[in-house]
PDB file of all heavy atoms in Angstrom:
ATOM      1  N   GLY A   1     -48.640  -6.727 -11.954  1.00 96.00           N
ATOM      2  CA  GLY A   1     -49.628  -5.788 -11.662  1.00 96.00           C
ATOM      3  C   GLY A   1     -49.171  -4.378 -11.346  1.00 96.00           C
ATOM      4  O   GLY A   1     -49.939  -3.532 -10.880  1.00 96.00           O
ATOM      5  N   LYS A   2     -47.907  -4.098 -11.690  1.00 96.00           N
ATOM      6  CA  LYS A   2     -47.358  -2.747 -11.370  1.00 96.00           C
ATOM      7  C   LYS A   2     -46.833  -2.089 -12.599  1.00 96.00           C
ATOM      8  O   LYS A   2     -46.205  -2.675 -13.468  1.00 96.00           O
ATOM      9  CB  LYS A   2     -46.173  -2.938 -10.372  1.00 96.00           C
ATOM     10  CG  LYS A   2     -46.610  -3.547  -9.040  1.00 96.00           C
ATOM     11  CD  LYS A   2     -45.406  -3.795  -8.136  1.00 96.00           C
ATOM     12  CE  LYS A   2     -45.784  -4.493  -6.863  1.00 96.00           C
ATOM     13  NZ  LYS A   2     -44.595  -4.764  -6.019  1.00 96.00           N
ATOM     14  N   GLY A   3     -47.082  -0.728 -12.686  1.00 97.00           N
ATOM     15  CA  GLY A   3     -46.394   0.034 -13.720  1.00 97.00           C
ATOM     16  C   GLY A   3     -44.900   0.052 -13.476  1.00 97.00           C
ATOM     17  O   GLY A   3     -44.428  -0.384 -12.387  1.00 97.00           O
ATOM     18  N   PHE A   4     -44.112   0.577 -14.412  1.00 98.00           N
ATOM     19  CA  PHE A   4     -42.658   0.492 -14.305  1.00 98.00           C
ATOM     20  C   PHE A   4     -42.007   1.613 -15.045  1.00 98.00           C
ATOM     21  O   PHE A   4     -42.595   2.343 -15.794  1.00 98.00           O
ATOM     22  CB  PHE A   4     -42.207  -0.867 -14.822  1.00 98.00           C
ATOM     23  CG  PHE A   4     -42.515  -1.114 -16.298  1.00 98.00           C
ATOM     24  CD1 PHE A   4     -41.575  -0.906 -17.308  1.00 98.00           C
ATOM     25  CD2 PHE A   4     -43.800  -1.520 -16.679  1.00 98.00           C
ATOM     26  CE1 PHE A   4     -41.922  -1.142 -18.629  1.00 98.00           C
ATOM     27  CE2 PHE A   4     -44.112  -1.755 -18.008  1.00 98.00           C
ATOM     28  CZ  PHE A   4     -43.170  -1.590 -18.962  1.00 98.00           C
ATOM     29  N   TRP A   5     -40.707   1.769 -14.804  1.00 98.00           N
ATOM     30  CA  TRP A   5     -39.848   2.734 -15.542  1.00 98.00           C
ATOM     31  C   TRP A   5     -38.824   1.933 -16.324  1.00 98.00           C
ATOM     32  O   TRP A   5     -38.316   0.933 -15.879  1.00 98.00           O
ATOM     33  CB  TRP A   5     -39.133   3.638 -14.518  1.00 98.00           C
ATOM     34  CG  TRP A   5     -40.039   4.582 -13.755  1.00 98.00           C
ATOM     35  CD1 TRP A   5     -40.810   4.230 -12.710  1.00 98.00           C
ATOM     36  CD2 TRP A   5     -40.241   5.939 -14.041  1.00 98.00           C
ATOM     37  NE1 TRP A   5     -41.500   5.373 -12.303  1.00 98.00           N
ATOM     38  CE2 TRP A   5     -41.160   6.409 -13.055  1.00 98.00           C
ATOM     39  CE3 TRP A   5     -39.697   6.845 -14.915  1.00 98.00           C
ATOM     40  CZ2 TRP A   5     -41.619   7.736 -13.023  1.00 98.00           C
ATOM     41  CZ3 TRP A   5     -40.136   8.134 -14.928  1.00 98.00           C
ATOM     42  CH2 TRP A   5     -41.090   8.585 -13.968  1.00 98.00           C
ATOM     43  N   HIS A   6     -38.563   2.427 -17.519  1.00 98.00           N
ATOM     44  CA  HIS A   6     -37.679   1.705 -18.419  1.00 98.00           C
ATOM     45  C   HIS A   6     -36.989   2.674 -19.436  1.00 98.00           C
ATOM     46  O   HIS A   6     -37.688   3.613 -19.886  1.00 98.00           O
ATOM     47  CB  HIS A   6     -38.471   0.633 -19.186  1.00 98.00           C
ATOM     48  CG  HIS A   6     -37.656  -0.128 -20.158  1.00 98.00           C
ATOM     49  ND1 HIS A   6     -36.600  -1.030 -19.803  1.00 98.00           N
ATOM     50  CD2 HIS A   6     -37.759  -0.207 -21.573  1.00 98.00           C
ATOM     51  CE1 HIS A   6     -36.096  -1.490 -20.878  1.00 98.00           C
ATOM     52  NE2 HIS A   6     -36.769  -1.068 -21.944  1.00 98.00           N
ATOM     53  N   LYS A   7     -35.741   2.427 -19.727  1.00 98.00           N
ATOM     54  CA  LYS A   7     -35.001   3.286 -20.697  1.00 98.00           C
ATOM     55  C   LYS A   7     -35.127   2.701 -22.086  1.00 98.00           C
ATOM     56  O   LYS A   7     -34.632   1.609 -22.344  1.00 98.00           O
ATOM     57  CB  LYS A   7     -33.545   3.335 -20.275  1.00 98.00           C
ATOM     58  CG  LYS A   7     -32.677   4.297 -21.089  1.00 98.00           C
ATOM     59  CD  LYS A   7     -31.247   4.351 -20.588  1.00 98.00           C
ATOM     60  CE  LYS A   7     -30.427   5.335 -21.440  1.00 98.00           C
ATOM     61  NZ  LYS A   7     -29.024   5.482 -20.909  1.00 98.00           N
ATOM     62  N   ASP A   8     -35.778   3.424 -22.935  1.00 98.00           N
ATOM     63  CA  ASP A   8     -35.972   2.982 -24.330  1.00 98.00           C
ATOM     64  C   ASP A   8     -36.541   4.079 -25.163  1.00 98.00           C
ATOM     65  O   ASP A   8     -36.906   5.116 -24.634  1.00 98.00           O
ATOM     66  CB  ASP A   8     -36.938   1.779 -24.379  1.00 98.00           C
ATOM     67  CG  ASP A   8     -36.535   0.727 -25.437  1.00 98.00           C
ATOM     68  OD1 ASP A   8     -35.997   1.119 -26.494  1.00 98.00           O
ATOM     69  OD2 ASP A   8     -36.815  -0.457 -25.244  1.00 98.00           O
ATOM     70  N   GLU A   9     -36.616   3.908 -26.490  1.00 98.00           N
ATOM     71  CA  GLU A   9     -37.185   4.883 -27.373  1.00 98.00           C
ATOM     72  C   GLU A   9     -38.626   4.517 -27.626  1.00 98.00           C
ATOM     73  O   GLU A   9     -38.908   3.385 -28.051  1.00 98.00           O
ATOM     74  CB  GLU A   9     -36.364   4.907 -28.681  1.00 98.00           C
ATOM     75  CG  GLU A   9     -36.883   5.893 -29.716  1.00 98.00           C
ATOM     76  CD  GLU A   9     -36.203   5.749 -31.050  1.00 98.00           C
ATOM     77  OE1 GLU A   9     -35.167   6.395 -31.215  1.00 98.00           O
ATOM     78  OE2 GLU A   9     -36.670   4.943 -31.856  1.00 98.00           O
ATOM     79  N   ILE A  10     -39.503   5.443 -27.490  1.00 98.00           N
ATOM     80  CA  ILE A  10     -40.974   5.178 -27.596  1.00 98.00           C
ATOM     81  C   ILE A  10     -41.606   5.983 -28.748  1.00 98.00           C
ATOM     82  O   ILE A  10     -41.503   7.163 -28.823  1.00 98.00           O
ATOM     83  CB  ILE A  10     -41.691   5.428 -26.278  1.00 98.00           C
ATOM     84  CG1 ILE A  10     -41.006   4.669 -25.162  1.00 98.00           C
ATOM     85  CG2 ILE A  10     -43.147   5.112 -26.377  1.00 98.00           C
ATOM     86  CD1 ILE A  10     -40.972   3.137 -25.328  1.00 98.00           C
ATOM     87  N   TYR A  11     -42.287   5.240 -29.634  1.00 97.00           N
ATOM     88  CA  TYR A  11     -42.948   5.846 -30.735  1.00 97.00           C
ATOM     89  C   TYR A  11     -44.316   6.358 -30.368  1.00 97.00           C
ATOM     90  O   TYR A  11     -44.992   5.921 -29.474  1.00 97.00           O
ATOM     91  CB  TYR A  11     -43.240   4.790 -31.837  1.00 97.00           C
ATOM     92  CG  TYR A  11     -42.022   4.272 -32.566  1.00 97.00           C
ATOM     93  CD1 TYR A  11     -42.200   3.161 -33.450  1.00 97.00           C
ATOM     94  CD2 TYR A  11     -40.736   4.723 -32.392  1.00 97.00           C
ATOM     95  CE1 TYR A  11     -41.143   2.624 -34.172  1.00 97.00           C
ATOM     96  CE2 TYR A  11     -39.694   4.221 -33.107  1.00 97.00           C
ATOM     97  CZ  TYR A  11     -39.885   3.174 -33.945  1.00 97.00           C
ATOM     98  OH  TYR A  11     -38.825   2.569 -34.632  1.00 97.00           O
ATOM     99  N   GLN A  12     -44.767   7.390 -31.146  1.00 95.00           N
ATOM    100  CA  GLN A  12     -46.151   7.733 -31.206  1.00 95.00           C
ATOM    101  C   GLN A  12     -46.590   7.307 -32.626  1.00 95.00           C
ATOM    102  O   GLN A  12     -45.775   7.121 -33.509  1.00 95.00           O
ATOM    103  CB  GLN A  12     -46.405   9.186 -30.948  1.00 95.00           C
ATOM    104  CG  GLN A  12     -45.650  10.118 -31.856  1.00 95.00           C
ATOM    105  CD  GLN A  12     -45.744  11.574 -31.390  1.00 95.00           C
ATOM    106  OE1 GLN A  12     -46.322  11.893 -30.379  1.00 95.00           O
ATOM    107  NE2 GLN A  12     -45.177  12.479 -32.152  1.00 95.00           N
ATOM    108  N   TYR A  13     -47.880   7.170 -32.842  1.00 95.00           N
ATOM    109  CA  TYR A  13     -48.365   6.620 -34.093  1.00 95.00           C
ATOM    110  C   TYR A  13     -49.282   7.559 -34.860  1.00 95.00           C
ATOM    111  O   TYR A  13     -49.980   8.386 -34.261  1.00 95.00           O
ATOM    112  CB  TYR A  13     -49.098   5.272 -33.814  1.00 95.00           C
ATOM    113  CG  TYR A  13     -48.245   4.290 -33.149  1.00 95.00           C
ATOM    114  CD1 TYR A  13     -48.206   4.230 -31.718  1.00 95.00           C
ATOM    115  CD2 TYR A  13     -47.340   3.516 -33.860  1.00 95.00           C
ATOM    116  CE1 TYR A  13     -47.318   3.350 -31.108  1.00 95.00           C
ATOM    117  CE2 TYR A  13     -46.490   2.655 -33.209  1.00 95.00           C
ATOM    118  CZ  TYR A  13     -46.474   2.550 -31.861  1.00 95.00           C
ATOM    119  OH  TYR A  13     -45.573   1.730 -31.211  1.00 95.00           O
ATOM    120  N   LYS A  14     -49.195   7.441 -36.168  1.00 93.00           N
ATOM    121  CA  LYS A  14     -49.984   8.345 -37.040  1.00 93.00           C
ATOM    122  C   LYS A  14     -51.479   8.165 -36.710  1.00 93.00           C
ATOM    123  O   LYS A  14     -51.989   7.076 -36.796  1.00 93.00           O
ATOM    124  CB  LYS A  14     -49.749   8.023 -38.515  1.00 93.00           C
ATOM    125  CG  LYS A  14     -48.319   8.330 -39.010  1.00 93.00           C
ATOM    126  CD  LYS A  14     -48.189   7.938 -40.476  1.00 93.00           C
ATOM    127  CE  LYS A  14     -46.787   8.224 -40.935  1.00 93.00           C
ATOM    128  NZ  LYS A  14     -46.613   7.796 -42.369  1.00 93.00           N
ATOM    129  N   PRO A  15     -52.141   9.264 -36.370  1.00 90.00           N
ATOM    130  CA  PRO A  15     -53.604   9.189 -36.054  1.00 90.00           C
ATOM    131  C   PRO A  15     -54.391   8.519 -37.132  1.00 90.00           C
ATOM    132  O   PRO A  15     -55.360   7.807 -36.842  1.00 90.00           O
ATOM    133  CB  PRO A  15     -53.993  10.623 -35.812  1.00 90.00           C
ATOM    134  CG  PRO A  15     -52.750  11.336 -35.435  1.00 90.00           C
ATOM    135  CD  PRO A  15     -51.623  10.679 -36.230  1.00 90.00           C
ATOM    136  N   GLU A  16     -54.033   8.729 -38.359  1.00 90.00           N
ATOM    137  CA  GLU A  16     -54.837   8.238 -39.525  1.00 90.00           C
ATOM    138  C   GLU A  16     -54.611   6.701 -39.743  1.00 90.00           C
ATOM    139  O   GLU A  16     -55.400   6.070 -40.452  1.00 90.00           O
ATOM    140  CB  GLU A  16     -54.587   9.010 -40.731  1.00 90.00           C
ATOM    141  CG  GLU A  16     -53.140   8.927 -41.315  1.00 90.00           C
ATOM    142  CD  GLU A  16     -52.180   9.899 -40.795  1.00 90.00           C
ATOM    143  OE1 GLU A  16     -52.459  10.472 -39.688  1.00 90.00           O
ATOM    144  OE2 GLU A  16     -51.140  10.119 -41.474  1.00 90.00           O
ATOM    145  N   THR A  17     -53.531   6.168 -39.187  1.00 90.00           N
ATOM    146  CA  THR A  17     -53.293   4.726 -39.438  1.00 90.00           C
ATOM    147  C   THR A  17     -53.334   3.899 -38.149  1.00 90.00           C
ATOM    148  O   THR A  17     -53.320   2.684 -38.252  1.00 90.00           O
ATOM    149  CB  THR A  17     -51.897   4.553 -40.141  1.00 90.00           C
ATOM    150  OG1 THR A  17     -50.832   5.065 -39.274  1.00 90.00           O
ATOM    151  CG2 THR A  17     -51.870   5.233 -41.475  1.00 90.00           C
ATOM    152  N   TYR A  18     -53.299   4.460 -37.003  1.00 95.00           N
ATOM    153  CA  TYR A  18     -53.313   3.724 -35.749  1.00 95.00           C
ATOM    154  C   TYR A  18     -54.682   3.034 -35.582  1.00 95.00           C
ATOM    155  O   TYR A  18     -55.740   3.706 -35.737  1.00 95.00           O
ATOM    156  CB  TYR A  18     -53.087   4.677 -34.583  1.00 95.00           C
ATOM    157  CG  TYR A  18     -53.319   4.117 -33.250  1.00 95.00           C
ATOM    158  CD1 TYR A  18     -52.675   2.945 -32.828  1.00 95.00           C
ATOM    159  CD2 TYR A  18     -54.218   4.728 -32.336  1.00 95.00           C
ATOM    160  CE1 TYR A  18     -52.927   2.366 -31.597  1.00 95.00           C
ATOM    161  CE2 TYR A  18     -54.428   4.147 -31.064  1.00 95.00           C
ATOM    162  CZ  TYR A  18     -53.743   3.029 -30.711  1.00 95.00           C
ATOM    163  OH  TYR A  18     -54.024   2.417 -29.478  1.00 95.00           O
ATOM    164  N   ALA A  19     -54.684   1.739 -35.319  1.00 96.00           N
ATOM    165  CA  ALA A  19     -55.922   0.971 -35.259  1.00 96.00           C
ATOM    166  C   ALA A  19     -56.826   1.329 -34.089  1.00 96.00           C
ATOM    167  O   ALA A  19     -57.983   1.179 -34.184  1.00 96.00           O
ATOM    168  CB  ALA A  19     -55.580  -0.517 -35.240  1.00 96.00           C
ATOM    169  N   GLY A  20     -56.245   1.812 -33.037  1.00 94.00           N
ATOM    170  CA  GLY A  20     -57.040   2.303 -31.898  1.00 94.00           C
ATOM    171  C   GLY A  20     -57.560   1.220 -30.987  1.00 94.00           C
ATOM    172  O   GLY A  20     -57.574   0.029 -31.311  1.00 94.00           O
ATOM    173  N   ASP A  21     -58.034   1.687 -29.772  1.00 93.00           N
ATOM    174  CA  ASP A  21     -58.502   0.705 -28.825  1.00 93.00           C
ATOM    175  C   ASP A  21     -59.843   0.129 -29.133  1.00 93.00           C
ATOM    176  O   ASP A  21     -60.404  -0.666 -28.376  1.00 93.00           O
ATOM    177  CB  ASP A  21     -58.441   1.221 -27.387  1.00 93.00           C
ATOM    178  CG  ASP A  21     -59.183   2.535 -27.225  1.00 93.00           C
ATOM    179  OD1 ASP A  21     -59.898   2.939 -28.222  1.00 93.00           O
ATOM    180  OD2 ASP A  21     -59.055   3.184 -26.201  1.00 93.00           O
ATOM    181  N   ASP A  22     -60.446   0.499 -30.295  1.00 95.00           N
ATOM    182  CA  ASP A  22     -61.643  -0.167 -30.799  1.00 95.00           C
ATOM    183  C   ASP A  22     -61.292  -1.450 -31.501  1.00 95.00           C
ATOM    184  O   ASP A  22     -62.185  -2.305 -31.780  1.00 95.00           O
ATOM    185  CB  ASP A  22     -62.455   0.724 -31.734  1.00 95.00           C
ATOM    186  CG  ASP A  22     -63.212   1.840 -30.941  1.00 95.00           C
ATOM    187  OD1 ASP A  22     -63.563   1.557 -29.843  1.00 95.00           O
ATOM    188  OD2 ASP A  22     -63.475   2.879 -31.545  1.00 95.00           O
ATOM    189  N   ASN A  23     -60.028  -1.623 -31.849  1.00 97.00           N
ATOM    190  CA  ASN A  23     -59.521  -2.770 -32.603  1.00 97.00           C
ATOM    191  C   ASN A  23     -58.427  -3.540 -31.858  1.00 97.00           C
ATOM    192  O   ASN A  23     -58.218  -4.698 -32.141  1.00 97.00           O
ATOM    193  CB  ASN A  23     -59.041  -2.367 -33.935  1.00 97.00           C
ATOM    194  CG  ASN A  23     -60.110  -1.751 -34.812  1.00 97.00           C
ATOM    195  OD1 ASN A  23     -61.035  -2.479 -35.257  1.00 97.00           O
ATOM    196  ND2 ASN A  23     -60.035  -0.454 -35.074  1.00 97.00           N
ATOM    197  N   LEU A  24     -57.758  -2.909 -30.932  1.00 97.00           N
ATOM    198  CA  LEU A  24     -56.568  -3.512 -30.244  1.00 97.00           C
ATOM    199  C   LEU A  24     -56.886  -3.639 -28.777  1.00 97.00           C
ATOM    200  O   LEU A  24     -57.601  -2.837 -28.209  1.00 97.00           O
ATOM    201  CB  LEU A  24     -55.367  -2.595 -30.353  1.00 97.00           C
ATOM    202  CG  LEU A  24     -54.936  -2.131 -31.786  1.00 97.00           C
ATOM    203  CD1 LEU A  24     -53.797  -1.118 -31.714  1.00 97.00           C
ATOM    204  CD2 LEU A  24     -54.594  -3.317 -32.666  1.00 97.00           C
ATOM    205  N   ARG A  25     -56.332  -4.689 -28.171  1.00 98.00           N
ATOM    206  CA  ARG A  25     -56.331  -4.825 -26.728  1.00 98.00           C
ATOM    207  C   ARG A  25     -55.039  -4.170 -26.234  1.00 98.00           C
ATOM    208  O   ARG A  25     -53.949  -4.772 -26.328  1.00 98.00           O
ATOM    209  CB  ARG A  25     -56.444  -6.256 -26.266  1.00 98.00           C
ATOM    210  CG  ARG A  25     -56.552  -6.466 -24.788  1.00 98.00           C
ATOM    211  CD  ARG A  25     -57.836  -5.825 -24.213  1.00 98.00           C
ATOM    212  NE  ARG A  25     -58.116  -6.247 -22.884  1.00 98.00           N
ATOM    213  CZ  ARG A  25     -58.939  -7.269 -22.596  1.00 98.00           C
ATOM    214  NH1 ARG A  25     -59.509  -8.002 -23.554  1.00 98.00           N
ATOM    215  NH2 ARG A  25     -59.125  -7.618 -21.297  1.00 98.00           N
ATOM    216  N   ILE A  26     -55.097  -2.991 -25.666  1.00 97.00           N
ATOM    217  CA  ILE A  26     -53.907  -2.287 -25.230  1.00 97.00           C
ATOM    218  C   ILE A  26     -53.450  -2.861 -23.888  1.00 97.00           C
ATOM    219  O   ILE A  26     -54.226  -3.035 -22.958  1.00 97.00           O
ATOM    220  CB  ILE A  26     -54.224  -0.778 -25.045  1.00 97.00           C
ATOM    221  CG1 ILE A  26     -54.868  -0.180 -26.333  1.00 97.00           C
ATOM    222  CG2 ILE A  26     -52.928  -0.014 -24.739  1.00 97.00           C
ATOM    223  CD1 ILE A  26     -54.053  -0.316 -27.579  1.00 97.00           C
TER     224      ILE A  26
END
């Protein structure tokens, strides 16, 4: 139940191909 800090590389996604929270359970 807690947010966290982590060392990693994080992507952002192409707006035109990202399925979005209308299709995904984030």
Side-chain angles (χ1 to χ4, degrees):
K2 300 175 183 178
F4 60 99
W5 293 78
H6 178 65
K7 184 177 182 179
D8 216 329
E9 178 188 271
I10 304 302
Y11 292 172
Q12 56 189 4
Y13 301 93
K14 294 180 179 178
E16 65 272 21
T17 59
Y18 170 56
D21 55 9
D22 284 334
N23 297 291
L24 309 174
R25 183 63 167 265
I26 309 300

